[in-house]
Amino acid sequence: MSEQVALRFIKGIGPRRAEALAAVGIEQAADLVEVFPFRWEDRRAFVRVADLRPQGPEATLDLRVVSARLIRTRKRGFTIFTAVLADASGSIKAVWYNQPYLERVLVKDARVVVFGRAATDRYGRELVLDNPEYERLDSDDDAGIHTGRIVPVYRKLGGLASRALRSVMHGVLEALQEGDLDDPVPEDVRVRRGLTPRLAALRAMHFPPDDTAMSDLSLRRAPAQRALAFEEIFLVQLALAERRSQVERAARGAHYEIPDALRVKLAKLLPFKLTNAQKRVLKEIGEDLRSSHPMNRLVQGDVGSGKTIVALLSLLVAIENGYQGVLMAPTEILADQHARSILRILRDAGTDVRVSVLTGSLKAAAKRRALEDIGNGHAQLVIGTHALFEAGVEFARLGMVVVDEQHRFGVMQRMALSSKGTRPDVLVMTATPIPRSLALTLYGDLDLSVIDELPPGRTPITTVVRREAEREKVYEGLRREVAGGRQVYVVVPLVEETAASDLKAATVFAAHLKKDVFPSLEIGLLHGRLKGEEKDRVMQDFARGAIQILVATTVIEVGVDVANASVMVVEHAERFGLSQLHQLRGRVGRGAAKSYCVLMVGDEGEGENARERLKTMEETGDGFTIAEKDLELRGPGAVFGTQQHGLSDLQFLAVILRDPGLLDAARDEAMGLAKAGGADAVFARLGGTWRKRLELPAVG
């Protein structure tokens, strides 16, 4: 059977299921076999009925059907199927709901293997298996798909539940022959790296051999996982290598001169000295701007390391050379703050740069004016949000694009903005530290710069974990800070209280603090549902000191900068990820005063994973250490958040990140093949699903 066989022709699928699968992008056998299990269950070891205990571990049993009956209840369409199952040691009742077809399957004297957990019935009198997995062992099929082996567990896909998908997957993998599969990894590479052949790896990934250790599967170090991980990262790295070579071959759109006089002029703009790290990164950017191809650079820097100044100086080089520059931020709050701080720097330095702001909440007349200024070139520096890449936004002479907090934007959005110029230089920045392995994996087509030094005067932030019993002491500490002229952030997870959650809601909590705790203080409220002008008013009031305690959601996670704020309180801190907690903590410690981050834990306490996160926050302020720990605890998705395009499509990223040697090997092989001109032959064999994935890591 060819991997290109349409799904409707595969046994167990048919036209209706094929249509549902096509709706989620699964159209051929090749697509289906790359839908991997999210976990496995060990159903190899059989136990006896006599060994079952209430609420004990899940167990696999080889049983005979003693009796069975289908009960049709008074509730329309609701059925209960019960069967008494036995082995030599005893018998047990099993119950299934709304599966009337079992009357034809689990007939008297049939041999069946079941997998489930025993529990006492509602009367507490006897043990029952409630809705166990089952498999009838007929004489022509005693190997088993659902029991008696390591069994794959899938997420529901196109209407197919895990059991049905398991049956279909087993049939497809058994029918495929070695010649049916196009292997994207060249044979000599597979042999040289000692990798399992592709079809064998796919079969073992879905249905691991009986001698597989469950620990190897959970730690993603089984041979099949390593082979498929190598394949995935090899293809990603090959695409990145090709993209990098395309950029290097492309003619530069903008041409820059950076004479000494311009350097002196830019240096005079700043009321402070740059750190050595900032100077180093600016030198790297300068070399890019003088090169023969467009810049494509990622700048990493911890919270407060001074990335915005680096971006501004880079944009001013473009502006001084007659081009427009654009700075894109993920939120209106951050875009407005960038505009205010940049205008202040330019004004204080006596530098006349025409700045326009374009955000989604602009009123029609203001938006029309901004679009005209951008289109006719009057606006030299444009600062905005997602509104920048909408249709109708046309630049007169776009030379440089800076994307702040790049992980908040989809790749295609960044590309849409870049396409508004003729191969503009692209600088993307993040304050979410990215481990080297992850940066190389996802952004291998970008040059990487790191600002690994904080400006002088930044005081270390003391971080403490506090529980509900200590809340009054925390409030006393806040009163002391406010009495000393400082301000406080209080971050809560939700905007409004709901019946489904006990998390402190911003609206309710702000009212409680004002009424019951700090009646004499000004309490502000900031969340994402406020209109743009309301957000601006609240932030301006907080920035000028009119608000002493600001209750907010994570809308303030990035970019908000109030130097007088000295305390960050995070309610239900156990519910937040490490990188997010680190970003929130970075909102304080921006002035000379001693600053604190208080992580409040809810009444229900925290699990082991949350304890590790909170302990890490107490022990270190280094964002890169925190990012590595976050990766270890929660996997790669935690580093950027679930919305980062491309990341969620890399199914074996966790394998790569735990095995840097495999990453280096895949990169070396991909680079070698790209240099030898062999990439096109590999890409020609790829299906549509892989082509879509390989578009995602692009930036410029």
Side-chain angles (χ1 to χ4, degrees), residues 217-400:
L217 288 174
S218 62
L219 292 173
R220 302 296 194 265
R221 63 189 183 199
Q225 292 168 320
R226 295 186 78 256
L228 293 169
F230 183 96
E231 174 186 302
E232 181 173 72
I233 209 63
F234 171 80
L235 289 173
V236 169
Q237 293 300 316
L238 193 61
L240 292 174
E242 279 295 285
R243 197 159 289 122
R244 179 183 281 274
S245 67
Q246 289 169 12
V247 170
E248 290 173 352
R249 291 194 300 267
R252 170 175 285 288
H255 297 273
Y256 301 95
E257 297 292 335
I258 313 178
D260 289 341
L262 176 56
R263 289 195 185 90
V264 171
K265 180 178 179 180
L266 294 178
K268 287 182 178 178
L269 277 175
L270 305 178
F272 49 80
K273 288 185 177 181
L274 295 172
T275 65
N276 290 330
Q278 287 172 313
K279 291 176 183 177
R280 183 183 70 247
V281 171
L282 281 168
K283 182 180 178 183
E284 292 166 350
I285 291 170
E287 290 170 356
D288 286 346
L289 298 182
R290 286 192 297 268
S291 73
S292 59
H293 57 79
M295 174 174 68
N296 249 16
R297 184 168 291 276
L298 171 66
V299 175
Q300 292 190 72
D302 210 344
V303 176
S305 61
K307 297 179 301 302
T308 304
I309 290 299
V310 168
L312 174 60
L313 293 175
S314 303
L315 287 163
L316 289 175
V317 170
I319 291 167
E320 289 286 333
N321 277 270
Y323 297 98
Q324 291 170 294
V326 61
L327 172 59
M328 183 166 68
T331 66
E332 291 194 10
I333 288 177
L334 183 51
D336 291 339
Q337 180 173 287
H338 276 322
R340 283 195 296 271
S341 61
I342 286 172
L343 284 168
R344 184 177 65 250
I345 291 171
L346 295 174
R347 183 183 63 248
D348 292 348
T351 300
D352 182 25
V353 174
R354 299 184 299 276
V355 179
S356 282
V357 177
L358 184 63
T359 61
S361 67
L362 281 183
K363 292 183 178 176
K367 185 174 184 179
R368 202 161 42 244
R369 231 174 8 254
L371 290 175
E372 288 174 3
D373 288 345
I374 294 168
N376 62 28
H378 178 76
Q380 297 169 292
L381 174 58
V382 184
I383 301 171
T385 58
H386 298 72
L388 285 167
F389 45 73
E390 291 176 355
V393 181
E394 301 295 337
F395 290 82
R397 201 174 184 220
L398 181 59
M400 182 177 293

Side-chain angles (χ1 to χ4, degrees), residues 560-624:
V560 176
D561 187 358
V562 176
N564 193 50
S566 62
V567 184
M568 166 63 68
V569 179
V570 183
E571 296 288 340
H572 288 282
E574 74 276 9
R575 307 291 181 97
F576 292 84
L578 257 176
S579 291
Q580 194 172 36
L581 288 173
H582 182 60
Q583 290 287 332
L584 290 170
R585 177 169 60 184
R587 298 309 103 217
V588 296
R590 293 177 169 261
K594 175 66 179 170
S595 294
Y596 305 88
C597 178
V598 182
L599 305 176
M600 296 297 300
V601 177
D603 278 328
E604 70 277 16
E606 71 276 21
E608 183 177 346
N609 190 285
R611 276 195 294 275
E612 279 288 307
R613 294 199 301 273
L614 299 175
K615 181 182 176 185
T616 299
M617 288 295 295
E618 284 187 302
E619 291 177 348
T620 182
D622 178 28
F624 288 93

